[in-house]
Amino acid sequence: MSRRLPLLLSAVLATAALTATPAARADPAPAVAPGPAATTAAGNQPYASYWYPDTILTWDPATDPDARFNRSRVPLQPRTSDPALRANPNARAGEGRIASLVSFGPTSNNPSQGSADPNYYAFGYWQYVDKLVFWGGSAGEGLILAPNPTVIDAAHRNGVKVYGTVFFPPAAYGGQTQWVRDFVQKSGSRYPVADKLAQAAQYYGFDGWFINQETGGGDSSLATEVRNLMQYTKARSGTEFMWYDAMTTSGAVNWQNALTSANSPFLQDGSKRTSDSMFLNFDWSRSGLDSSRALARQLGRSEYDLYSGIDTEANGYNTGVDWNTLFPAGQPHTTSLGLYRPEWTWKSATDRADFYAKDARYWVGPNGDPSRADPAAAWPGLAGYVAESSPVTSKPFVTNFNTGQGDFYNAAGTRVATGGWNNLSLQDVPPTYRWTVDSAGSRLTPSVDFTDAYQGGSSLRLTGTLDAANTVRLYETRLPVAADTRLDVVVRTPAAGPTKLKAAVSFTDAPSTFTTLDLGANSGTGWEKHSLDLSPYAGRTIAQIGLRAEGADPAYDVRIGQLAVHDGAAATPAAPTGLTVLGASDVTAGSSQSLRLSWTAAPGGDVHHYEVYRRNADGSRAFLGATPNDAYFVGRLDRAGTEDTTTLDVEAVSTTYGRSTAASTTVGWNGTPSTGSNLALNRPATASGQCNAAEGPAKAVNGTVTGGNGDKWCTLTSGKWLEVDLGSAKQLSRFVVKHASAGGESASYNTRDFSIQVRSTSTDPWTTVATVTGNTAATTTHPVATTARYVRLVVTKPTQTTDPAARIYEFEAWGV
């Protein structure tokens, strides 16, 4: 193998190849250690928790105002993996596993419950992952990072364990040996920091910690104390640990790239289990992994507790890997696999479609089908080595094919919110097989569709030429069928008439043989539910669920909005009670505010999540967000006209998507609405594209230009446009555009030619209200007298030179 770098150095050097700053950046330590307890304004944005060893000692969830917003409420689900149902015949179940080290955001300022930005690493290949490490920590922010609850919720719903990160960087990147000594400090027989690690994991609902100790200057006694701390924690709690191959028993940092006598006590210390697994550094070899396997067995541990690392932060699936050493053909796997920074697929993407294509290439290979992974490819796809696991082992099972991000939000087929969002707490279990289609003729193309949804922001779409039966395998399951079990499929077709679609199920007594049930016809073009009686199969257990399209159609196009297996009627949950506004903060004084809400959870245990709405004057409601938790942060509530109060509703949604009555409260407004403000601030924004995932349209309406070169919308598309939805028609008096040099870039990048357009409804033609040619200024102001809901900036010449990228730091629409 080519030489690999240790985790921190790899992260720092690879940063130059990416525009987004990784969580593990090496900043100088501040004079005063920041921490989440510094949040004091009652209505402010809550963030994921992070600490230094000394600051975690003072952490108390009872006094941390952000703590309750960081709790996961989704328990870890059991999984099934039937070797007979694996998509790829070369993949193995029960051998090598995959651990994924992912930076979902920075260490600090990482929103607890999602945000209004649809550009997010909405990971969807959980079926191949065993453990997810919420990667982060830095000398300048905090060394100990707890995962935010959206990631825990999504992972646990898929049966994947989640670890936080404890990160001690080398001295050259801000590390201090004293921090390691603070970490292992003792009080009598106790390790106080370890007690806090266990408390945080238990309170927030995650499973353990990844320990990355790369600070030099230690000695053997310090190394012994680090081991003692982990052993102490494991003896007193269910907290798990994954150890990174860096510190050795001598106390020195010396990457072994294997399990050796110098680091094995950090995995197994005689009869004491120190950690649950070890992440081996990247420069492993055939002989090193062979000896690692042998030593692990000698210690009474599985070789699959060893995760051999590969670094994909800089090059993704273009990274060279000696696959045959790790997963030899026709032989048992040598060890498990550790992935460092697979979110390269998102950070290197030009837009969401590009991300989804790259993510499929990364996980299932160049053919986009786990059953057809190419073993001859330099990157065959992980589905060719590790068999899928499925958490679909109990009823009810419901999926809306919601990925946890979108450009709008639908509830039961009705649009209740416009604008982009991300919230992995709302992500459904993704299909086990993405995508496996069997056909004797043309294969239909399954895809995640972000233009329509039954529930959430996406649906499953099947398109293509239908000239033979197509069986689309979706989920591996283990669902017992009772006398009242039903299978529901919600479908939308372009025209009334036959859906040409059947539900396909197989049973554990013949898992590869599908039984089909015809959905029949749709009466119109809206979403329609087809409920199928499974009572003839009572006593059997469903092993797979899929769909079969049959008939002839040169342009077949159908959307599937929900698929559910449940017993009896949909449950109506009890309502939450005690809805309370914990605090509010102005976004724009008199016109908009952010809120922290809490309520008492509905009794009964059958709640999937809670949805938060505002009531409108016309009797309709607008969706503000959702969470499985009993507390939620509303990032922006807009005042409607001069109303004195706004009524908020929170309703429980059951695991079968029945809805409770609402708990309600009112929010008061102080003063009079502003006579003029930036109405585009933090409003939903879309665009023709973006230069990378971190430079999406939301950056142009976030109200800042001081966040560095990434605090902008950037695009390289041929047609360049940025659109903002103001929520309702507003009286506008001027537009302000802040170009490249307003954010600190060269004036040669300032937009030269552009226009501004408006319209009142999404079906109206655009009207141009300002046209500019030959601009050189950093900030331009454009007076108007117009009323519009939708505003658009169209860039025709993006720079003063031939550089093709448009760079807009802020697009402001001022009015009332």
Side-chain angles (χ1 to χ4, degrees), residues 27-32 52 139-141 173-174 176 179:
D27 295 335
V32 178
Y52 292 91
E141 297 169 289
Y173 298 97
Q176 303 175 24
W179 281 337

Side-chain angles (χ1 to χ4, degrees), residues 102-385:
V102 180
S103 174
F104 285 90
T107 296
S108 59
N109 299 323
N110 192 342
S112 299
Q113 297 175 308
S115 72
D117 187 353
N119 300 301
Y120 193 74
Y121 181 56
F123 176 60
Y125 289 91
W126 300 100
Q127 63 268 44
Y128 303 111
V129 176
D130 178 62
K131 296 178 176 68
L132 183 134
V133 175
F134 194 80
W135 175 254
S138 75
E141 297 169 289
L143 307 178
I144 302 169
L145 176 63
N148 65 29
T150 57
V151 173
I152 305 171
D153 288 344
H156 278 186
R157 194 171 282 128
N158 285 276
V160 175
K161 293 181 177 180
V162 180
Y163 292 175
T165 301
V166 179
F167 177 56
F168 298 105
Y173 298 97
Q176 303 175 24
T177 307
Q178 186 58 47
W179 281 337
V180 188
R181 299 193 186 280
D182 291 344
F183 182 67
V184 300
Q185 63 185 281
K186 296 189 72 174
S187 176
S189 62
R190 294 175 49 248
Y191 290 87
V193 174
D195 291 339
K196 286 296 182 180
L197 293 180
Q199 181 187 14
Q202 181 179 24
Y203 181 83
Y204 287 145
F206 61 95
D207 306 282
W209 294 94
F210 182 94
I211 309 295
N212 180 19
Q213 202 306 82
E214 296 187 77
T215 305
D219 53 25
S220 60
S221 62
L222 182 60
T224 298
E225 285 302 296
V226 172
R227 295 200 304 278
N228 288 344
L229 177 146
M230 289 191 285
Q231 293 166 8
Y232 163 91
T233 310
K234 292 195 67 60
R236 287 160 176 77
S237 71
T239 306
E240 297 186 3
F241 290 105
M242 177 178 281
W243 176 260
Y244 173 53
D245 160 33
M247 188 185 213
T248 63
T249 55
S250 71
V253 173
N254 186 0
W255 299 273
Q256 301 294 293
N257 305 293
L259 184 68
T260 71
S261 60
N263 63 15
S264 61
F266 291 97
L267 179 70
Q268 185 74 27
D269 194 2
S271 62
K272 297 179 179 178
R273 186 182 180 95
T274 308
S275 64
D276 298 271
S277 53
M278 182 182 290
F279 188 102
L280 302 180
N281 191 49
F282 308 117
D283 197 16
W284 42 265
S285 64
R286 182 181 298 274
S287 60
L289 292 195
D290 286 343
S291 65
S292 298
R293 174 173 54 190
L295 180 55
R297 291 176 176 177
Q298 290 174 19
L299 296 171
R301 298 292 294 272
S302 168
E303 60 266 42
Y304 303 127
D305 291 342
L306 305 176
Y307 290 80
S308 299
I310 61 174
D311 177 3
T312 67
E313 181 183 22
N315 295 310
Y317 47 67
N318 299 310
T319 304
V321 179
D322 183 0
W323 295 111
N324 199 49
T325 287
L326 190 59
F327 300 135
Q331 300 178 45
H333 294 162
T334 309
T335 67
S336 292
L337 169 64
L339 297 174
Y340 182 65
R341 309 297 295 275
E343 80 276 11
W344 169 89
T345 58
W346 173 67
K347 288 191 172 181
S348 67
T350 57
D351 54 27
R352 185 166 56 207
D354 189 36
F355 159 53
Y356 273 76
K358 285 184 171 179
D359 222 30
R361 175 73 178 83
Y362 189 102
W363 290 94
V364 303
N367 294 316
D369 180 346
S371 69
R372 297 190 296 134
D374 182 3
W379 186 280
L382 302 176
Y385 299 115

Side-chain angles (χ1 to χ4, degrees), residues 532-552:
L532 306 170
D533 180 11
L534 296 184
S535 62
Y537 311 100
R540 302 173 76 181
T541 298
I542 300 172
Q544 289 190 85
I545 302 174
L547 297 166
R548 180 172 293 170
E550 294 182 356

Side-chain angles (χ1 to χ4, degrees), residues 459-676:
S459 57
L460 172 64
R461 190 175 187 178
L462 301 180
T463 57
T465 300
L466 181 61
D467 53 20
N470 273 253
T471 301
V472 183
R473 295 176 66 186
L474 291 175
Y475 290 94
E476 180 181 350
T477 69
R478 190 164 290 272
L479 300 176
V481 180
D484 60 348
T485 301
R486 305 196 70 82
L487 170 59
D488 296 339
V489 185
V490 177
V491 178
R492 188 167 196 165
T493 54
T499 62
K500 301 183 178 70
L501 198 63
K502 297 180 178 181
V505 296
S506 73
F507 301 95
T508 53
D509 51 7
S512 299
T513 302
F514 281 101
T515 298
T516 60
L517 299 93
D518 198 341
L519 299 187
N522 270 15
S523 60
T525 59
W527 291 107
E528 297 188 25
K529 179 181 289 188
H530 302 264
S531 189
L532 306 170
D533 180 11
L534 296 184
S535 62
Y537 311 100
R540 302 173 76 181
T541 298
I542 300 172
Q544 289 190 85
I545 302 174
L547 297 166
R548 180 172 293 170
E550 294 182 356
D553 191 334
Y556 189 67
D557 189 352
V558 63
R559 290 176 175 86
I560 299 90
Q562 188 180 87
L563 190 155
V565 179
H566 60 94
D567 294 339
T572 300
T577 57
L579 176 59
T580 302
V581 178
L582 298 177
S585 296
D586 282 341
V587 176
T588 301
S591 295
S592 60
Q593 56 187 311
S594 59
L595 307 169
R596 290 185 176 207
L597 306 176
S598 72
W599 54 86
T600 299
D606 62 345
V607 174
H608 183 271
H609 66 269
Y610 299 89
E611 294 186 351
V612 183
Y613 292 87
R614 67 156 293 155
R615 291 191 205 167
N616 299 321
D618 62 2
S620 65
R621 299 194 304 173
F623 176 77
L624 299 176
T627 178
N629 202 351
D630 59 5
Y632 187 71
F633 172 73
V634 176
R636 178 169 177 148
L637 175 69
D638 289 322
R639 187 176 190 175
T642 59
E643 64 182 355
D644 294 325
T645 61
T646 300
T647 299
L648 302 182
D649 292 340
V650 173
E651 63 185 26
V653 179
S654 76
T655 51
T656 49
Y657 281 78
R659 295 174 180 271
S660 75
T661 56
S664 301
T665 192
T666 58
V667 177
W669 295 97
N670 294 320
T672 58
S674 172
T675 57

Side-chain angles (χ1 to χ4, degrees), residues 63-86:
T63 57
D64 178 357
D66 287 1
R68 68 181 302 167
F69 296 89
N70 284 313
R71 301 192 79 175
S72 170
R73 300 295 186 172
V74 178
L76 181 68
Q77 298 300 304
R79 301 207 289 186
T80 185
S81 183
D82 185 347
L85 293 177
R86 65 190 190 275

Side-chain angles (χ1 to χ4, degrees), residues 750-754 771-777 780 796-797 799-800:
N750 286 339
T751 319
R752 185 172 179 82
D753 300 341
F754 59 95
T771 300
V772 177
T773 58
N775 171 62
T776 60
T780 57
T796 49
K797 186 171 178 52
T799 64
Q800 310 297 308

